[in-house]
Amino acid sequence: MNRITEILANPSRRKLLVPFFTAGYPDLKTTLELVITSADSGADIVEIGMPFSDPLADGPQIQYSSHLALQNGITLRTIVDSVYTLRKQVSIPIVLMGYFNPLIAFGEKRFIREAAHAGVDGLIIPDLPIDEAMAYSKYMKNNRLSSIFLVAPTSTDSRIRQIDNMSTDMVYAVTVTGVTGTGKKFGQSTDRYLKHLTKILTKPFVAGFGVSSPESAQRLCQYSDGVVIGSALVQIIRAARTKRASVSKIGQFLKNIRKSI
Amino acid sequence: MARKFTTLPNSQGRFGPYGGRYVPETVVYALTDLEEQYHKIKKSSTFKKELQSYWSDYVGRPTPLYYAERLTEYLNGPRIYFKREDLNHTGAHKINNTVGQILLARYMGKKRIIAETGAGQHGLATATVCARFGFECIIYMGAEDIRRQAPNVEKMKLLGAKVVPVTSGSQTLKDATSEALRDWVTNVRTTFYIIGSVVGPHPYPMIVRDFQSVIGKETKRQCLKSFGKLPHTIIACVGGGSNAIGMFSAFLNEKNVRLIGVEAAGYGLQSGKHAATLKKGKPGVLHGSYSYLLFDADGQIILPHSISAGLDYPGVGPEHSYLKDTRRVLYESVTDKQATDAFKLVSRLEGIIPALETSHALAYLMKARKQFTRRQHVVVCISGRGDKDMGIIKL
């Protein structure tokens, strides 16, 4: 059974904490350590970013980590193989997130098959909205990979319903009109938007884009099932003096967030 | 039955398999809205009249079809005609489209305009219409392009536009486009994104084509008037492909007219340093549509190269991809060196300095001279003027 389906089926589950790491940043070995540390520090699902040369939905932090990851020679092949290795050590659900073109180069269906086989639980493709994803949804389902689609503050109600319908287990709510890592303070309009989503969506949803502190995580969790944190983690890793230090700093940061939600 | 090309794209924004809408969810509603509003305004006679009047009194249309007598003599035929898009206000075909889109923006009540630019011609054409309509204007331009197209940057600033240097990636058109998209995702509620070529998510490739199709419609009329029939061949350069689509669209169903698009071969097709997307690329997704694209085995975009900033782009419009596969248009390429030689030769022979982009179309004609007889008529789309390129060309 898909690990995401499994944790969502738990009626007394806690708020979901979902860290995002770019595969291969600062290097592949450290990425794997970060995933393991996350599992031990209160994370419920881990998102692994598949770097792309032109990440147009991402802000400066993830542009930076993607650029370095590509310089480190990361490919979809190495990512799928790494998940296979990771699966011997962690049981936490793993979601891969990345742009569509590398999947085309790999072969979309072949990628879905191999990712599922390696132990991946879900996929998020930010430049593949529901309209273009129809062709793959059945194939994803057959391979027991969860399709996670994004809703945005600009999505209409009828569109939110379609996204809810197309998503397998859960939905990802983009909190701001903007790219990742804006670091803006969430105000009442975000509260209203998330509250509105709780009324329309039938599936659980996590909120992301711009979550940077225990306070912001707490605020979003009032009206959602959890939070995704990405750019803020890149910043912590960049600021750490060594790779080893970055792993322990991330662990500490996630524990703090865990306590707050 | 002959294939009809005039009904594309379909309702999903597809030209055959190409096109579509591969964008973050945040801007999907804006594209749906744009498509609806465009279909409405397109039918309005007030809009048509207004667009027509700006084209004639502000842009300077119709542009002439000019018989290039000395070039014809020099090559010993065919009979060569220039469609003079270089004579438009701001010196290129780009303004045909920006006038149309700014009217659309006004109709939709948006007053903040963003655009990407490579050679600076689209940025200049956008800054110009923003000045004319009193709209805020932000132009994203790669830092490398800012360096090599300095005169256009100065003009944009004079016109009141804010030129934002883009320092990510290759610092050229590809990265400027990504940055403009990021701005749009952030400010989508207030902002109209004027895309400069037949690229991007649906409905942009259709809208830009429609506004540029005035080039082909005029050319068709002018050919009949000037030499009593349609030309044997039409040649246009292709980066994103807007001047080419604008020219070709009126002739797609005229199966006796050969259509040739010319891409930038940079240092040569085998060098790996070129921008010949249709010739050497594969179908993929970048900047919102599925189309031919330059990328490596891992799906990462390959940095293109062309001496011409306007052709220095790893993608191409989805309609061109379809026209390539259906073989309605033949796509060829010429090198930096061949384009530069044509640039100089045509300047000397005709007293017309063509843009480096345009020089690719001219260079192909010279290269392919032997395919033609002396009596055949060939039209070359002179997409823009070349004074902006003086800093690049070493005499």
Side-chain angles (χ1 to χ4, degrees):
Chain A
M1 187 158 149
N2 181 303
R3 295 171 196 83
I4 299 173
T5 319
E6 213 165 322
I7 61 161
L8 293 176
N10 177 1
S12 59
R13 69 167 189 274
R14 55 188 186 180
K15 295 287 180 184
L16 302 172
L17 174 56
V18 187
F20 167 99
F21 302 105
T22 302
Y25 174 75
D27 59 29
L28 189 60
K29 186 168 155 277
T30 310
T31 308
L32 303 188
E33 285 169 19
L34 287 165
V35 172
I36 294 165
T37 298
S38 300
D40 297 338
S41 308
D44 302 285
I45 299 174
V46 177
E47 264 183 36
I48 298 179
M50 304 179 281
F52 182 47
S53 52
D54 298 79
L56 56 86
D58 285 300
Q61 295 298 346
I62 293 176
Q63 286 178 44
Y64 171 83
S65 61
S66 303
H67 182 71
L68 279 195
L70 288 175
Q71 282 188 337
N72 288 337
I74 295 302
T75 65
L76 296 196
R77 178 81 267 153
T78 51
I79 293 170
V80 169
D81 292 349
S82 303
V83 173
Y84 190 80
T85 314
L86 261 178
R87 270 290 161 246
K88 292 172 187 146
Q89 300 170 68
V90 290
S91 58
I92 190 168
I94 293 175
V95 172
L96 297 185
M97 178 166 186
Y99 294 84
F100 194 41
N101 200 60
L103 271 65
I104 293 177
F106 196 96
E108 305 93 304
K109 290 194 169 171
R110 183 174 150 231
F111 180 76
I112 290 168
R113 265 192 330 265
E114 295 201 12
H117 175 73
V120 172
D121 302 285
L123 277 186
I124 304 175
I125 320 276
D127 59 348
L128 195 72
I130 47 171
D131 326 74
E132 307 295 355
M134 304 279 183
Y136 307 104
S137 63
K138 199 171 165 205
Y139 203 74
M140 293 270 291
K141 228 165 251 168
N142 291 344
N143 281 277
R144 282 186 296 174
L145 262 193
S146 179
S147 306
I148 301 166
F149 289 98
L150 285 76
V151 289
T154 51
S155 305
T156 58
D157 287 359
S158 70
R159 194 144 171 106
I160 296 170
R161 281 188 200 98
Q162 282 175 299
I163 291 167
D164 187 41
N165 195 27
M166 285 275 294
S167 298
T168 323
D169 295 294
M170 61 190 271
V171 173
Y172 184 148
V174 175
T175 49
V176 292
T177 50
V179 293
T180 55
T182 53
K184 279 185 200 151
K185 271 206 164 163
F186 298 112
Q188 288 181 350
S189 66
T190 311
D191 295 344
R192 269 198 305 276
Y193 158 65
L194 293 178
K195 236 190 266 180
H196 184 66
L197 287 181
T198 55
K199 280 185 213 139
I200 301 184
L201 292 173
T202 63
K203 293 183 175 118
F205 70 99
V206 290
F209 278 41
V211 186
S212 57
S213 63
E215 294 74 40
S216 54
Q218 197 173 27
R219 178 153 198 163
L220 296 185
C221 278
Q222 279 183 287
Y223 305 108
S224 71
D225 299 285
V227 286
V228 183
I229 309 179
S231 297
L233 303 185
V234 175
Q235 239 166 336
I236 291 170
I237 298 168
R238 276 178 93 165
R241 257 191 271 140
T242 61
K243 285 166 187 165
R244 179 184 287 240
S246 74
V247 176
S248 66
K249 286 232 161 79
I250 291 289
Q252 196 51 50
F253 181 80
L254 291 177
K255 279 180 193 154
N256 285 340
I257 300 269
R258 178 78 268 165
K259 265 186 251 159
S260 76
I261 57 175
Chain B
M1 203 181 84
R3 203 191 293 264
K4 288 278 181 210
F5 292 93
T6 40
T7 52
L8 297 173
N10 69 11
S11 59
Q12 270 77 51
R14 297 275 176 178
F15 303 88
Y18 302 109
R21 204 173 262 173
Y22 297 84
V23 291
E25 175 64 22
T26 311
V27 298
V28 168
Y29 98 100
L31 292 166
T32 316
D33 190 31
L34 177 63
E35 188 184 359
E36 277 170 23
Q37 304 293 334
Y38 174 67
H39 280 303
K40 249 188 252 171
I41 199 177
K42 198 170 79 166
K43 291 185 201 117
S44 134
S45 57
T46 326
F47 172 74
K48 280 189 220 161
K49 254 186 229 152
E50 207 175 2
L51 182 60
Q52 220 26 270
S53 111
Y54 279 105
W55 273 347
S56 76
D57 303 347
Y58 191 66
V59 175
R61 306 206 68 90
T63 57
L65 183 73
Y66 162 77
Y67 175 49
E69 191 176 356
R70 290 197 69 212
L71 183 62
T72 299
E73 276 169 20
Y74 176 86
L75 294 177
N76 196 19
R79 297 175 70 81
I80 302 161
Y81 288 78
F82 287 174
K83 176 60 174 167
R84 299 291 307 275
E85 291 302 301
D86 59 314
L87 291 179
N88 284 324
H89 181 38
T90 69
H93 69 289
K94 293 293 184 189
I95 199 162
N96 300 332
N97 167 50
T98 59
V99 164
Q101 287 201 47
I102 199 101
L103 290 173
L104 191 49
R106 194 186 59 181
Y107 177 73
M108 291 175 71
K110 311 238 166 160
K111 293 207 162 160
R112 182 177 180 271
I113 303 291
I114 58 168
E116 82 296 335
T117 198
Q121 289 303 117
H122 174 60
L124 179 59
T126 304
T128 299
V129 296
C130 285
R132 171 62 187 78
F133 285 80
F135 288 3
E136 183 187 358
C137 180
I138 294 113
I139 305 291
Y140 289 95
M141 188 168 184
E144 164 70 12
D145 289 339
I146 288 182
R147 195 186 55 72
R148 57 179 168 173
Q149 307 276 265
N152 275 341
V153 178
E154 292 307 312
K155 288 184 208 167
M156 285 186 264
K157 287 182 181 164
L158 177 66
L159 290 160
K162 185 177 160 202
V163 181
V164 181
V166 177
T167 53
S168 54
S170 58
Q171 315 197 353
T172 61
L173 182 54
K174 160 179 93 84
D175 309 284
T177 307
S178 296
E179 208 52 40
L181 279 163
R182 290 187 189 110
D183 180 314
W184 202 38
V185 169
T186 308
N187 301 298
V188 62
R189 288 194 174 95
T190 58
T191 299
F192 191 101
Y193 181 13
I194 299 190
I195 291 187
S197 193
V198 286
V199 299
H202 179 63
Y204 279 105
M206 170 181 78
I207 292 177
V208 178
R209 174 200 63 196
D210 290 356
F211 288 145
Q212 291 294 0
S213 66
V214 65
I215 303 173
K217 285 177 197 155
E218 281 177 14
T219 303
K220 201 171 191 179
R221 255 196 333 266
Q222 289 166 324
C223 287
L224 293 173
K225 194 168 166 224
S226 167
F227 48 86
K229 58 179 179 184
L230 297 179
H232 177 270
T233 297
I234 301 178
I235 306 174
C237 65
V238 177
S242 68
N243 90 88
I245 284 285
M247 175 58 101
F248 296 162
S249 59
F251 298 92
L252 289 176
N253 290 334
E254 304 288 353
K255 61 182 194 315
N256 294 324
V257 180
R258 277 178 80 212
L259 304 173
I260 298 175
V262 185
E263 295 189 302
Y267 295 127
L269 289 181
Q270 307 312 320
S271 70
K273 290 186 178 302
H274 58 75
T277 309
L278 289 162
K279 203 100 185 149
K280 301 291 275 187
K282 304 172 289 257
V285 166
L286 180 68
H287 295 150
S289 65
Y290 180 66
S291 192
Y292 277 81
L293 186 64
L294 298 173
F295 58 91
D296 65 17
D298 299 315
Q300 308 299 341
I301 307 305
I302 295 173
L303 296 185
H305 163 80
S306 170
I307 191 171
S308 136
L311 304 183
D312 202 351
Y313 184 67
V316 66
E319 189 164 8
H320 282 294
S321 294
Y322 180 66
L323 293 172
K324 174 197 156 84
D325 284 4
T326 55
R327 299 190 190 176
R328 176 61 190 97
V329 177
L330 185 67
Y331 292 91
E332 296 287 353
S333 64
V334 302
T335 62
D336 286 353
K337 171 78 171 60
Q338 290 167 326
T340 315
D341 290 347
F343 177 95
K344 292 176 186 168
L345 183 74
V346 172
S347 298
R348 292 279 177 99
L349 286 175
E350 295 292 346
I352 293 169
I353 305 174
L356 268 176
E357 290 77 14
T358 311
S359 300
H360 285 71
L362 292 162
Y364 175 75
L365 172 60
M366 284 161 206
K367 197 167 98 172
R369 157 68 190 93
K370 292 207 175 87
Q371 295 175 11
F372 303 102
T373 68
R374 291 187 58 194
R375 299 173 69 91
Q376 285 167 343
H377 296 79
V378 174
V379 174
V380 181
C381 186
I382 306 297
S383 55
R385 53 193 281 172
D387 18 351
K388 68 180 178 66
D389 298 312
M390 295 310 294
I392 300 168
I393 298 288
K394 287 176 195 68
L395 298 173

